[in-house]
Amino acid sequence: SAWSSYSVCSKTCGGGVQSRTRTCSEGSGGGATCASLGLTQTLQTRTCNTGTCPVPVDCSCTSWSSYSVCSKTCGSGSQTRTRTCVEAVNGGATCASLGLTQTSQSRTCNTATCPVPR
């Protein structure tokens, strides 16, 4: 019979294998045999997806920025700092799995009581 279609590749990268098959039925009545016709091979394999696999890259974050200027000069203001995180690619560790979900932090500042105007 004709060759079947090749199977799905066993790997998506890094070199997998595909195979295909065929059958050969011996004829009745003294016809030519499969072997005499060169049809003894019933399985073929080939390599596939031989490209290198992409390297996993874990989540990474920049250093924290400096805190912003305090929002008040007295009476308890706030200031903020930020950072930027780049999510993992190619199966690397995610930001969440590394505990890097926070990209903004705030804190109080200038907590002293404001002077009473006279």
Side-chain angles (χ1 to χ4, degrees):
S1 66
W3 287 104
S4 66
S5 299
Y6 274 101
S7 63
V8 173
C9 192
S10 62
K11 292 185 179 181
T12 57
C13 59
V17 178
Q18 290 176 298
S19 61
R20 66 180 183 172
T21 59
R22 70 176 174 189
T23 57
C24 182
S25 301
E26 298 289 345
S28 59
T33 63
C34 293
S36 69
L37 296 173
L39 300 177
T40 57
Q41 187 180 19
T42 58
L43 174 68
Q44 281 185 337
T45 59
R46 69 180 183 188
T47 57
C48 51
N49 295 338
T50 56
T52 56
C53 296
V55 177
V57 178
D58 295 346
C59 165
S60 62
C61 299
T62 61
S63 298
W64 287 103
S65 67
S66 299
Y67 275 101
S68 62
V69 173
C70 191
S71 62
K72 293 183 178 181
T73 56
C74 60
S76 196
S78 66
Q79 51 189 176
T80 305
R81 66 180 184 170
T82 60
R83 67 179 175 185
T84 302
C85 295
V86 178
E87 194 51 81
V89 293
N90 301 327
T94 63
C95 295
S97 72
L98 296 173
L100 299 174
T101 56
Q102 194 176 26
T103 56
S104 179
Q105 289 181 337
S106 295
R107 69 180 182 187
T108 56
C109 52
N110 295 338
T111 56
T113 305
C114 294
V116 178
R118 294 183 185 211

